[in-house]
Amino acid sequence: MMGNNVFVSESVTAGHPDKLCDRISDAIVDRFLAQDSLARVDVECAMATGIVFVASHYAANLAPDVVEIARRVIAGSGYRGSDFNARDCTVMTTLHERTDLSRSPGDEEELSDEELGRLATNDPVTVFGFACAESPTLMPLPIHLAHGLARALDTARESGKLPWLHPDGSVQVAVRYHDGVPESIHSLTLNPSLLAAGVGQRTLRSSLMSAVVEPAFRGQSLRPDRKTRILIAPPDLLRTGGPSRHAGLTGRKTAIDAYGEYTRTSGSALSGKDPLRTDRIAVYGARWAAKNLVAAGLAQFCEVLLSYEMGRAEPVSVQVRSFGSSDLDDEELTARVKRHFDFRPGALMRVFGLRRLVATAENGYLQHLAAYGHVGREDLDLPWERRDRLEELAG
């Protein structure tokens, strides 16, 4: 699919301001649903130097303490500096109860098929799901590796191995392709922020290599070699990061949330919405179908497109593209997907058991998706990552 070129994907740490906003937004959605499993809610968050702004529209029996939630997420992210921390930052809120929006009509696991069909989308939506055979998670290799590198940065800071790392950081992984197959790691770019001055370039480089790069690529089939360029910004450019350096906003990292710009990505934000929202649940449904097609050996590359219109539950368009990587034509792949997947939002909620998962998780559920991607995760038992339709699709 890539031909002969170099493709680059970026990921960021959980403390990056945009990801921090995503995590706050999803933590608030988690709390709404923990208090009222039938709540409908959307949450937006923005932050800059010393200030956090949270806006929410909801239909629920009870609204949670969003200020407390925001401060808890910030504190858990490691922000303790004088420029931004959970205790001293100003948290402004505007919460609006939507009297024109009703709570969900019931738990999807208890609704009849007819009732599920009445859970129509309120907005026109087109979403994409993708899978490919480039990595064990059936994700494009550049974003798969970038997420591992970003997670390794966070782990090095949280474990105390590199205590001078700031919570804010970003990475890029460039993979060289030959005839569409990943051939080598062309380059790695690490842009961590530092808590304090005094870390020299030699110390910075050797520490990041041993505590971040090596663990991130341990067990990977493709690893940096002597030709791989390792790019690390000089310490004097790695000023203290976070909202005092660049503002954050919910939903601004949609490519990082999905496939690292390797393929088409749905335009809407994923975080900050209750899971019945079509522009969230359908993204997970499309990934589920695409992953099962690839896992079943029916294609090496697979994109599933779902388009919805207002007032209908069923998608008006279901399209599968295999980019010439399948022995079957795209029409046959599309027909098999239509036979074995129900993409109505309520049906996806039911088959994933998502309302129960979100409402009963002890430490939140959706907020754990807000960093390192909503898809392709092996650290979470996500229902849309299960390979559970292989026999049906192959038959």
Side-chain angles (χ1 to χ4, degrees), residues 9-12 145-147 149-150 153 169-173 189-191:
S9 284
E10 177 194 26
S11 186
V12 296
L145 296 176
H147 283 323
L149 202 56
L153 262 180
S170 67
V171 301
Q172 286 184 324
V173 176
T189 303
L190 287 82
N191 291 303

Side-chain angles (χ1 to χ4, degrees), residues 49-381:
T49 304
I51 189 168
V52 177
F53 179 75
V54 179
S56 175
H57 293 82
Y58 67 92
N61 286 332
L62 181 66
D65 184 346
V66 300
V67 174
E68 180 274 329
I69 296 170
R71 294 192 188 281
R72 175 176 53 80
V73 174
I74 294 168
S77 299
Y79 278 92
R80 300 180 181 86
S82 58
D83 59 329
F84 189 77
N85 62 72
R87 185 187 65 241
D88 296 335
C89 70
T90 299
V91 181
M92 301 177 63
T93 66
T94 173
L95 307 181
H96 177 62
E97 185 172 7
R98 290 277 300 276
T99 56
D100 61 322
L101 178 67
S102 60
R103 295 164 63 245
S104 295
D107 189 330
E108 290 78 12
E109 296 186 28
E110 300 173 358
L111 298 179
S112 67
D113 189 73
E114 181 181 352
E115 290 171 322
L116 289 179
R118 292 200 290 267
L119 297 178
T121 184
N122 293 324
D123 298 290
V125 173
T126 295
V127 303
F128 302 93
F130 184 78
C132 64
E134 289 186 3
S135 70
T137 57
L138 302 188
M139 288 285 286
L141 189 61
I143 190 64
H144 170 76
L145 296 176
H147 283 323
L149 202 56
R151 187 190 295 274
L153 262 180
D154 279 333
T155 299
R157 178 185 59 82
E158 294 167 356
S159 67
K161 289 184 179 178
L162 303 181
W164 33 262
L165 282 178
H166 187 277
D168 182 13
S170 67
V171 301
Q172 286 184 324
V173 176
V175 175
R176 184 183 298 280
Y177 287 78
H178 179 72
D179 290 339
V181 177
E183 181 182 58
S184 61
I185 306 299
H186 173 270
S187 62
L188 304 177
T189 303
L190 287 82
N191 291 303
S193 299
L194 306 184
L195 286 172
V199 180
Q201 181 70 34
R202 181 173 298 179
T203 298
L204 179 65
R205 186 178 185 86
S206 63
S207 298
L208 291 176
M209 288 298 296
S210 62
V212 177
V213 175
E214 290 181 12
F217 283 88
R218 190 172 295 134
Q220 298 292 340
S221 58
L222 207 60
R223 300 168 56 86
D225 56 33
R226 59 184 180 82
K227 294 182 179 179
T228 301
R229 299 174 63 201
I230 309 294
L231 308 173
I232 301 171
D236 59 341
L237 296 181
L238 299 176
R239 303 183 303 275
T240 297
S244 62
R245 183 177 178 185
H246 54 124
L249 184 66
T250 298
R252 193 152 56 184
K253 291 290 186 283
T254 54
I256 291 174
D257 288 339
Y259 307 102
E261 297 178 328
Y262 187 99
T263 186
R264 291 189 289 183
T265 302
S266 310
S268 299
L270 294 176
S271 291
K273 301 169 180 176
D274 69 75
L276 189 55
R277 281 281 298 267
T278 305
D279 52 359
R280 182 166 198 165
I281 190 70
V283 170
Y284 302 153
R287 161 65 179 176
W288 178 43
K291 183 172 183 178
N292 274 270
L293 282 170
V294 174
L298 297 179
Q300 292 294 301
F301 302 90
C302 181
E303 177 192 81
V304 175
L305 176 153
L306 306 176
S307 290
Y308 298 80
E309 65 182 13
M310 294 176 61
R312 290 186 53 166
E314 301 88 354
V316 296
S317 178
V318 178
Q319 300 176 32
V320 176
R321 292 201 304 170
S322 63
F323 309 95
S325 69
S326 175
D327 293 334
L328 303 174
D329 59 36
D330 290 351
E331 289 75 15
E332 174 61 23
L333 293 174
T334 299
R336 295 191 186 195
V337 164
K338 287 182 176 180
R339 281 199 301 270
H340 299 298
F341 292 88
D342 187 345
F343 292 116
R344 293 175 298 171
L348 290 172
M349 287 284 287
R350 180 166 66 183
V351 74
F352 292 160
L354 198 49
R355 190 176 300 281
R356 174 180 48 80
L357 290 173
V358 174
T360 60
E362 291 185 6
N363 298 311
Y365 188 87
L366 299 175
Q367 60 192 284
H368 299 299
L369 302 174
Y372 321 124
H374 288 245
V375 292
R377 301 287 293 273
E378 289 189 325
D379 57 316
L380 304 172
D381 183 21

